[in-house]
Every structure is written in structure tokens, then in C-alpha cells.
Amino acid sequence: MTNVNTRDLDTLAVSKLFWRYAIPSVAGMLVTGLYAVIDGVFVGHYVGSHGLAAINLVYPMVMLQVGLGAMISMGVATRIAIRQGAGDMAGARGALLAALLLLALFGALIPLFGLSNIDALLGWLRADGQAEVREQAYPYLWWMLSGAVLTMGQMLVTYLVRNDGRPGLATVLTTLGALLNILLDYVLVGLMAMGLEGAAIGTLIAEGVVLSLGLAYFFTRHAGLRLRLRALTPDWRALWPVIALGAPSLLMELNLAVLLYAHNYQLLQWGNDLSVAAYAVAGYTESLFVLVIHGLAVGMQPLLGHATGAGQPERVRAALLHGLKVCMAIGLAALAAVQAFPAAIAGWYSDGSAELIEAGSRALQLHLLAMPLDGLVVVGCTALQAMAMTRLALGITVSKTILLLPSLGLLPLLMGLDGVWLAMPLVNLLLGMLVMAIMWRELRRLLPAGQRMQAGT
């Protein structure tokens, strides 16, 4: 981040800064979400429900990669923002290099252990029950394990570019990747009929382009944290802080992976492959919403992190308040759209199958009932991370799994398949109320002493 941009964070109105960072971040995350959604659209149209079921069953392994990428990205983004807020530019540059070292390490370990155990993974994921499903699942998982460094790396560079004071460039990179992914899906899945293998190859090529261009930027004179080939020594002391600060992001994604696996398991128990395909329809739709909300939270992160490091509680409070208000507005709008037009949304992912549209509509209306509160949990956890309250964010994230797993086990006993769909809304209701209370407490704590006393009367 340049000195001018650092001064802006100290002096410009928080409302102006919020939208300057939030809009490109939301747009970038929305475009990023198209990687998965476009895969789902092409798979649904050209492969059918078996393809949707296959990609949903193996996707927990991809989410593990996304979680590691989010851990590195959020951890180093927070570390850099805090170091820059304290005026330590050398420490910020060293943290960037430490993050690249972590990327290389995880990018080597995942294919090393994953490819040698791919058949066992398919069995554990229950993706080998039907021949049509396994035929699509195997090549998709093989390619995604092989290209793990690209999946994690494109996430990392867009975070780093944005935190370097270039949110617009980060949006351009993610948009380029998404457009390239659409083109490759059309060629590989649509024209060449390569199925899920084509979807995986197209995704990895697009991610590789984004990673290459993002890394190249940091070797140019335009980068605030410019890298030079003769000075590529990471700050070894930053490795653990990066991991610790990003751990809630990893656990958030791991929670989602575990919950996806648990949903898949229960859907096969109480339904069939069509139920898993319907869950994919709801999942793709939910992922767009969550990525928009996560983009909002990530856009808040530089403001919250810098203001925390610079000791400016009033600016922390203003940024947090803006984020919470926008989060709830987006959540309510998304909920209204899903409840009003479920068949139209399900039709995006269908090859014309009336059964898939009917099952997908049911999944959308029930499974996404608590979208506003789901968004509140995402924003709340990310805000707590950015303010260096990682333990609290970690506890909230872990609670989601602790509450959801028994809900998934018990509700279907009472309600059958509908119980599987309603387990998540129930948990989001409970956690959303908890996060609401925590955010209220933090907003009061950040008030000046005099106003805090008046608020208490």
C-alpha cells in the first residue's frame, strides 16, 4: 500500500473509504464465485444430475484447498495491514514473502498425499456408489488435487493486490479469470464434451493466469510492497502470525467442507442422487450470496486492520457499523429473491429435467431460509479477525459445526428429507443471534467514554 493510500486510511471519511474498498471487493468476490457457479451451469446443462451430484460429493476436498488459501490470504492481509498501520513497511514486505512460502509448501503437500490416495478419498466421499457418478468424480478430483497451488494462489494474489492499494486491479484479475473460465467451460465441457474433467482443467487454467499476473505485479514499480529478485528473504517470524490470524478463515472453510460432507451423507440416506444434485443447486446459489458477503467483509478488512493498528477506535466502529448494515440489506434482498423465484433459479443448473427443477426449488426455499443471519455470521467473524480477536472468531466458527452436526442427525428423524434442508437455517438462527449480541457489545465498547455512559443510562 502506498504512502498516499496509507494517509487516506487515516484521514478520509470512513463512509467513503468503506465503499472504495467494499465495492471492488464485492465485485471481485462475485466474479470469483462464478468459477464454481459457471462450472455448475455447464455441468448441469451438458452432463446432467449425475454430474452435479459428482461435483458436490467430491467438493469437500476442493474446499480444503480453498480453506488453506483463505487462511494464508486473510492471515497475511491482516498482518500486512497491521504492520503498515504501525509504520513497519519492512515487516509488511516480509509477511508477503512468508505467505508465498506457505503457498508453495501446501501446494506441494496436497497433490503428494492426495493423488496417492484418490480411490480411498472417493470412497470416503461416497462418490463411488454409482458408476455414472464415479466416472465424472474421479477425473475432476484428480485435476483439482494436482492443481491445488493454483486454486490457493489465485486467492492469495488477489488479496495481496487489493491490500497493496489496488482494489481495482484485483477486480480486473478476478474478472479476467472468470471470463476465461467461462470460455474454457464452453469449449471443454460444451463443445468437446469432456464432462467434469473439462470443467476442472478450465478452472485451473484460469486460476493459473490470475496467479501469474498477480505475482508479476509485485515485481513492477507500481507495487507498494515491491519485490526484487535479489531480496526475496521471507520474514520467518511472520509465519506463525499469518497462520494464527488466518486460522478462523481455514476453520470456516473446513466447517463448510465437513457440513457439505454431512449433508451429502444424510441426503443419500434420506433421499438419493437427485437430492444431492438439488443440494448442489442450493449450494451454488448460496455460494454466490456468501461470496458477496465475504467480499463485503474482506473490503472492510483493510479499514478495520489499519484503524486497529493505528489506535483509532472511532474509525473501527464506523467501518464495522457500515458493514453490518449493508450485510443485512443484502441478506434480506437475497432471501426475497430465492423465495419468490426458486424454479427460475433452479432452471439455471438443469438440462431441462422437471424432477431436478422441482427438487432444486424445494431445496432453495427451505435450505436458504436464514440467509440474512448467515451473512451476519460471516461478516462478524471476519470483522473480529481484522480487529485481532481471533479466538472469539474461532469459537463462533467452530460452534457452527458443533450445532449443525446433531441438527442434521436429529431433524430428519422428525421431518424426513425436509429435516436435512432445515438443519442449516436453524443453526444460522442461533449463531446469528449470538453474533448480533457480540457486535452490539463491540459497537458499544468502541464508543467514546462519554457516549458509552449515556448509552448505558
Side-chain angles (χ1 to χ4, degrees), residues 47-329:
V47 185
S49 60
H50 288 306
L52 286 175
I55 201 170
N56 213 56
L57 287 169
V58 302
Y59 210 73
M61 292 307 302
V62 179
M63 295 176 75
L64 169 62
Q65 301 171 27
V66 172
L68 290 170
M71 177 190 74
I72 300 170
S73 302
M74 190 64 189
V76 74
T78 303
R79 175 76 173 182
I80 288 173
I82 291 175
R83 288 293 89 211
Q84 287 179 324
D88 182 10
M89 298 302 291
R93 188 174 290 105
L96 188 157
L97 291 168
L100 294 178
L101 180 62
L102 287 172
L103 172 65
L105 176 63
F106 289 122
L109 290 176
I110 289 174
L112 178 64
F113 291 102
L115 293 178
S116 60
N117 296 287
I118 190 168
D119 288 318
L121 289 173
L122 287 171
W124 178 72
L125 294 166
R126 305 193 72 187
D128 60 351
Q130 288 195 10
E132 298 94 334
V133 173
R134 190 184 192 284
E135 181 183 358
Q136 296 295 329
Y138 184 96
Y140 184 85
L141 183 58
W142 191 94
W143 280 103
M144 295 308 291
L145 290 172
S146 300
V149 68
L150 303 178
T151 300
M152 296 183 291
Q154 61 89 21
M155 293 180 62
L156 176 60
V157 295
T158 51
Y159 269 70
L160 291 173
V161 168
R162 190 198 69 253
N163 265 49
D164 200 54
R166 302 283 182 174
L169 177 58
T171 302
V172 169
L173 288 175
T174 52
T175 303
L176 174 64
L179 293 175
L180 183 57
N181 191 38
I182 293 172
L183 174 63
L184 290 170
D185 269 345
Y186 174 71
V187 173
L188 299 176
V189 181
L191 297 182
M192 299 180 64
M194 293 179 65
L196 261 62
E197 182 176 22
I201 293 172
T203 296
L204 293 175
I205 291 174
E207 291 172 347
V209 170
V210 173
L211 173 58
S212 300
L213 293 176
L215 283 178
Y217 160 78
F218 283 98
F219 288 91
T220 70
R221 60 183 176 83
H222 303 289
L225 292 177
R226 185 176 182 179
L227 301 179
R228 301 179 187 274
L229 292 176
R230 63 178 181 271
L232 293 178
T233 303
D235 181 359
W236 299 96
R237 296 169 301 177
L239 288 174
W240 175 247
V242 166
I243 292 172
L245 288 168
S249 292
L250 170 61
L251 284 178
M252 187 179 298
E253 290 297 331
L254 288 180
N255 274 338
L256 293 175
V258 169
L259 299 178
L260 174 57
Y261 174 81
H263 275 93
N264 287 338
Y265 185 92
Q266 286 293 79
L267 288 168
L268 290 175
Q269 289 291 110
W270 295 92
N272 49 36
D273 288 342
L274 181 63
S275 304
V276 177
Y279 183 50
V281 170
Y284 285 126
T285 306
E286 183 183 27
S287 71
L288 277 179
F289 167 73
V290 170
L291 280 166
V292 169
I293 294 297
H294 190 60
L296 172 70
V298 167
M300 292 166 52
Q301 184 272 327
L303 281 69
L304 293 172
H306 182 89
T308 299
Q312 300 170 332
E314 71 285 353
R315 294 177 73 83
V316 175
R317 185 179 191 276
L320 181 59
L321 193 57
H322 272 289
L324 293 173
K325 289 179 179 178
V326 176
C327 164
M328 291 303 295

